[in-house]
Amino acid sequence: MFSQHLMCLHLFYFVIQISMTLKEYIRKNGYNHKSFAREFGTHYRNVESWAKGDRLPRWKDAERIFIFTDNQVTGSDLYAEQISRQKTILQRNEV
């Protein structure tokens, strides 16, 4: 029982570690917005908007991102970037 619990914890830790935002994935894998877009097959402005959290990709593009990044970038990660950006905008407006 203990070994199963320990294995679950290791697996949970591994999943947490490989998950990252699109911006992090691009940086850690030696891309910039243009080079990622070229390999991914879209315009670099799309990648720029997705990475900054300005826009979310359409579901087909999101699915392609998950495949392209080997699920290192997930739907939660895409939303996290957008949520973070919106919170920053709200904080700026309060000041």
Side-chain angles (χ1 to χ4, degrees), residues 17-68:
Q17 290 299 100
I18 64 167
S19 181
M20 64 181 76
T21 65
L22 183 57
K23 184 189 324 184
E24 291 170 334
Y25 180 87
I26 288 169
R27 186 173 1 108
K28 288 182 180 180
N29 288 280
Y31 292 109
N32 59 39
H33 294 147
K34 287 186 180 183
S35 62
F36 182 86
R38 193 176 315 114
E39 277 201 46
F40 187 71
T42 192
H43 196 273
Y44 81 94
R45 292 282 189 191
N46 290 335
V47 174
E48 187 177 64
S49 293
W50 301 335
K52 285 181 171 180
D54 290 338
R55 286 190 307 115
L56 288 172
R58 293 183 175 152
W59 72 269
K60 285 184 179 183
D61 290 323
E63 185 177 46
R64 288 180 53 225
I65 289 169
F66 308 151
I67 293 166
F68 187 88

Side-chain angles (χ1 to χ4, degrees), residues 76-91:
S76 298
D77 302 319
L78 292 173
Y79 272 101
E81 192 65 39
Q82 189 174 53
I83 289 167
S84 173
R85 182 163 173 78
Q86 293 302 319
K87 283 183 177 180
T88 302
I89 290 169
L90 288 173
Q91 288 172 350

